[in-house]
Amino acid sequence: MANPLSFFSPRGDTLLYLIALLSISSILLHNLSISASADSHFEGFDADEDLEDILQSPLSDLPRRSPPPPTTLSTSSDPESHHGPPHPQSDPDLDLPPKPSATTSSFDYWDEDEFEGFPTEIAPPESTDEAVELAATPAEPESAKVSEPISLAKRIRAYAIEITCVSFLIMFTINYFTGKKENETLALAWAAKFATRDTIFDKNFSLLGVSETDDSPLLLKEGQNVFKFYASGRRFCQGLVATMELKSRQDLIAKLYNMIVPCKDEITFEVYMNDDAMDHVVFALAKKKAAKAMQKEVRDLQRFSSLMTSAPNGRKWVADELTVITESKEVAGDLITETVLDQVFGEKAFEKFGKWFISMHFSDQQQSTHRKVLIFKFALPDVNHMADMTRLVALVPYYIDLIGRYKLSSQARSKTEAARSKVAQEVYKELQNARQEALQRKKAERRKMMEEAESKLNAEAVRKKEAKERARQLKKAMPKIKMSRGA
Amino acid sequence: MSSSGNDPRQPSSAKPYKPQPIHPDNLPIDYSGFIAIIFGVAGVMFRYKLGSWLALIFCAQSLANMKNIETDLKQISTGFMFAIMGMVTNYLSPARGGVKT
């Protein structure tokens, strides 16, 4: 069994993805750790302060040190003390209780006059303690409220951008892998239906796939949503390239965009006809709007053909939704055969199978590399319904044979010949003009270069002369130094 | 529908596949890479955090849509460098001193 898929694109994209993700997560972690450590420093500072209060009171030189026993007060007043003096009345009272312990070791620092009203102030500190506690408790929930929300809601708001972007990137990465897998499954399903052994392309072409050997992969992956299939070795044509352009399922942004602006999975068959196999045929078939756009945009259709409004001679013709663009009506009539109408393009058949058809374009005046090309464009059904487009795919070899064997009648040929010769003459004239312009430009350039060279030479010569003259004058001006050779 | 009777295949005329060379000027424009570079430059110059993040996202999109690894990688890596520069400037620069809310 041939290995269906050739992984043409390397794995470098996943590596880059991993590197990107790692760097982002490291930055985020670093960021969070910085802010977390900042907070802990803050808390540690408080704890240190409390410890110092309890253990090392000699250092209580700072005026607004709060007492340790009412610990509720410390948590409330410490932040407040950092911001400013909150309770000027209570603070001196609060300062006093630690002082007895301080005075024993550090009476150097404290004036004993301060402790005049001390016994009376044991009771008031208790009452003031209560008052401060009461005052503190409303303050405390506030501070508690202030300290906690910083950690949750406000922090989340602070990191809103980072959180949304990182989550989007994670979703993007997940979607990349799932979308890529989906596209591959779809392409493989198509290949399994139409390109493996005993399928339509195997029966029509001798060489399938990209490389020489038997085990070569059938599909060529050109991007996460572009797959190519090549077949060669058939009469009338040099080869066939089928390009599958699937929706960008691997790209989350494109996927969201495609939800608003609908998009289809498309497959385009390009058949390169042999030079002797195709007569003067310029023909296209598409749905009405698309046909009008094609006729205006595609060069060879624009030059040679026109929209065909009515069916010729009351024959059975294509469904109403379709429009034919052709150079000559006779050719169009010959190309839309009964078989085709019955199978695909007639009224009834088109209702069933028409939704997968996009356009069909035969031309022997194609402007790109190869001149004689048949182009078929179909939409791809989903994985489980690949068989729906069997009839459309069968059109490809049918038309290769039909056009390969088709010869125009003499009337039609004369008309087409006239049109083509006109166009050929115009093209020739354009070429001639272009050549003449190019020659003139070259001549002008050469002239410019010559003039510049001459002027340069002149300028240089003049400069040299001037330099020489100056050198001579300098020599004359300078006194002659006599040199004597030592022994 | 397919030609009946004789086998349409001609092994003698089989040609190996030659990928059609596309002129680099005719390549489709990589819009997302371009936008990534713009946002990246905006993020670095104006110290705009969202700019750097958007640059990273569009870089990722450009990577996802990359078709030809040799030609496209240069533009993508340029955008990626701008995005990372923007991240470093916005988050790790000492002048700001921590996270700006």
Side-chain angles (χ1 to χ4, degrees):
Chain A
M1 282 292 282
N3 189 12
L5 198 62
S6 136
F7 283 89
F8 187 73
S9 71
R11 314 270 182 169
D13 49 3
T14 50
L15 190 65
L16 283 169
Y17 254 99
L18 284 170
I19 293 171
L21 260 178
L22 276 171
S23 53
I24 292 160
S25 48
S26 67
I27 288 170
L28 198 64
L29 279 169
H30 186 68
N31 211 5
L32 282 171
S33 65
I34 284 177
S35 48
S37 59
D39 285 343
S40 66
H41 273 298
F42 197 62
E43 287 165 359
F45 191 65
D46 279 346
D48 287 342
E49 259 198 36
D50 286 342
L51 283 170
E52 283 184 358
D53 265 337
I54 295 165
L55 299 173
Q56 298 178 26
S57 26
L59 297 175
S60 57
D61 215 7
L62 302 169
R64 300 276 185 233
R65 293 300 288 270
S66 52
T71 49
T72 51
L73 290 170
S74 68
T75 50
S76 64
S77 53
D78 259 354
E80 287 170 5
S81 65
H82 280 282
H83 294 310
H87 303 290
Q89 307 112 8
S90 55
D91 264 357
D93 296 333
L94 293 173
D95 280 343
L96 293 177
K99 301 305 184 283
S101 58
T103 46
T104 51
S105 51
S106 59
F107 48 79
D108 302 325
Y109 300 99
W110 301 111
D111 212 8
E112 292 208 25
D113 292 338
E114 282 197 41
F115 298 104
E116 280 181 23
F118 182 62
T120 53
E121 280 164 320
I122 296 172
E126 287 177 8
S127 58
T128 50
D129 274 353
E130 287 173 24
V132 170
E133 268 190 50
L134 282 171
T137 40
E140 181 207 326
E142 287 173 21
S143 65
K145 276 185 221 162
V146 167
S147 57
E148 276 180 25
I150 288 175
S151 57
L152 276 178
K154 262 201 179 175
R155 225 192 231 185
I156 290 176
R157 238 176 278 162
Y159 287 110
I161 292 179
E162 287 80 0
I163 290 173
T164 37
C165 287
V166 171
S167 51
F168 187 83
L169 275 170
I170 291 173
M171 284 199 300
F172 192 92
T173 319
I174 295 171
N175 176 259
Y176 174 78
F177 289 109
T178 50
K180 173 176 152 178
K181 194 85 200 216
E182 239 183 284
N183 276 349
E184 281 172 15
T185 347
L186 190 60
L188 285 174
W190 183 88
K193 180 77 190 154
F194 296 111
T196 47
R197 280 185 198 283
D198 288 340
T199 54
I200 187 164
F201 282 120
D202 192 44
K203 288 180 194 166
N204 275 289
F205 291 89
S206 65
L207 174 73
L208 298 174
V210 175
S211 55
E212 302 275 332
T213 61
D214 252 348
D215 265 347
S216 68
L218 282 173
L219 292 175
L220 182 69
K221 184 176 175 182
E222 271 198 357
Q224 303 303 336
N225 61 330
V226 178
F227 297 90
K228 282 205 170 155
F229 168 69
Y230 178 72
S232 178
R234 196 187 194 278
R235 62 182 176 219
F236 303 134
C237 65
Q238 291 174 2
L240 167 144
V241 174
T243 311
M244 278 187 267
E245 276 164 26
L246 306 172
K247 294 190 224 178
S248 294
R249 289 184 181 87
Q250 82 279 5
D251 177 2
L252 187 61
I253 300 171
K255 205 174 184 178
L256 294 169
Y257 180 71
N258 286 336
M259 288 186 191
I260 309 169
V261 176
C263 181
K264 282 188 196 172
D265 295 320
E266 285 179 4
I267 184 165
T268 309
F269 292 95
E270 284 179 16
V271 182
Y272 302 106
M273 300 296 283
N274 290 336
D275 279 334
D276 56 355
M278 190 163 173
D279 212 340
H280 300 308
V281 173
V282 177
F283 174 87
L285 176 67
K287 293 187 181 165
K288 279 193 177 155
K289 274 192 195 171
K292 282 187 194 167
M294 272 177 89
Q295 209 272 324
K296 284 184 192 166
E297 286 167 23
V298 183
R299 273 187 94 189
D300 50 343
L301 290 177
Q302 198 184 29
R303 269 192 196 165
F304 293 105
S305 59
S306 57
L307 289 163
M308 193 162 139
T309 43
S310 58
N313 299 337
R315 263 183 57 186
K316 257 203 298 185
W317 200 234
V318 295
D320 279 338
E321 298 134 25
L322 296 171
T323 312
V324 173
I325 307 170
T326 179
E327 189 178 13
S328 97
K329 290 194 177 178
E330 192 188 320
V331 170
D334 287 336
L335 287 177
I336 309 281
T337 61
E338 289 281 337
T339 344
V340 160
L341 283 171
D342 283 333
Q343 294 277 320
V344 186
F345 293 128
E347 289 287 345
K348 285 184 193 169
F350 195 70
E351 277 170 26
K352 271 196 221 167
F353 304 105
K355 59 175 173 170
W356 307 118
F357 176 76
I358 299 177
S359 73
M360 205 160 82
H361 176 202
F362 309 146
S363 174
D364 70 323
Q365 296 286 323
Q366 187 77 351
Q367 298 299 318
S368 65
T369 48
H370 202 99
R371 276 272 152 165
K372 305 201 170 184
V373 189
L374 312 179
I375 301 175
F376 299 84
K377 229 183 205 176
F378 305 132
L380 278 174
D382 65 319
V383 185
N384 302 321
H385 296 111
M386 273 296 162
D388 287 352
M389 65 180 302
T390 324
R391 290 204 185 182
L392 289 171
V393 175
L395 278 175
V396 178
Y398 178 78
Y399 269 113
I400 298 177
D401 278 336
L402 186 65
I403 289 194
R405 294 192 182 118
Y406 181 65
K407 298 279 174 227
L408 275 113
S409 69
S410 47
Q411 298 164 331
R413 175 162 293 169
S414 51
K415 283 187 203 168
T416 53
E417 282 279 354
R420 269 143 230 264
S421 52
K422 259 196 205 173
V423 172
Q425 276 183 7
E426 283 173 24
V427 168
Y428 186 65
K429 274 185 196 171
E430 278 182 32
L431 269 174
Q432 286 254 335
N433 286 339
R435 265 186 229 163
Q436 279 187 8
E437 278 179 27
L439 275 171
Q440 281 180 4
R441 260 183 247 158
K442 274 188 188 172
K443 277 186 188 171
E445 277 181 25
R446 270 185 218 164
R447 263 184 235 157
K448 271 191 196 172
M449 282 184 51
M450 296 278 285
E451 281 172 21
E452 277 178 27
E454 279 182 27
S455 60
K456 268 190 194 170
L457 280 171
N458 291 339
E460 277 189 25
V462 166
R463 267 182 242 152
K464 276 181 188 171
K465 282 182 194 170
E466 284 180 14
K468 278 183 188 172
E469 281 197 22
R470 268 184 231 151
R472 266 185 237 154
Q473 285 181 9
L474 273 174
K475 266 193 181 175
K476 283 182 188 172
M478 275 179 61
K480 286 193 179 172
I481 302 168
K482 287 189 181 170
M483 282 175 38
S484 59
R485 288 192 177 173
Chain B
M1 281 288 282
S2 59
S3 49
S4 52
N6 46 357
D7 191 6
R9 291 181 274 185
Q10 274 182 353
S12 53
S13 65
K15 285 185 190 173
Y17 177 64
K18 261 189 232 167
Q20 290 205 344
I22 306 176
H23 201 253
D25 291 343
N26 291 347
L27 278 171
I29 308 169
D30 183 15
Y31 288 109
S32 41
F34 188 58
I35 294 175
I37 291 178
I38 290 178
F39 273 116
V41 169
V44 171
M45 289 209 313
F46 305 124
R47 281 181 164 247
Y48 191 40
K49 262 196 294 185
L50 189 61
S52 316
W53 280 109
L54 283 173
L56 202 64
I57 287 173
F58 280 107
C59 235
Q61 186 191 15
S62 186
L63 261 177
N65 289 331
M66 183 170 67
K67 290 213 176 109
N68 210 3
I69 192 166
E70 302 99 19
T71 52
D72 295 347
L73 204 59
K74 287 176 206 162
Q75 190 170 16
I76 295 172
S77 47
T78 319
F80 191 65
M81 285 305 126
F82 273 118
I84 296 296
M85 266 207 300
M87 293 288 175
V88 168
T89 328
N90 281 321
Y91 287 106
L92 300 179
S93 64
R96 289 281 164 187
V99 177
K100 191 173 77 165
T101 49

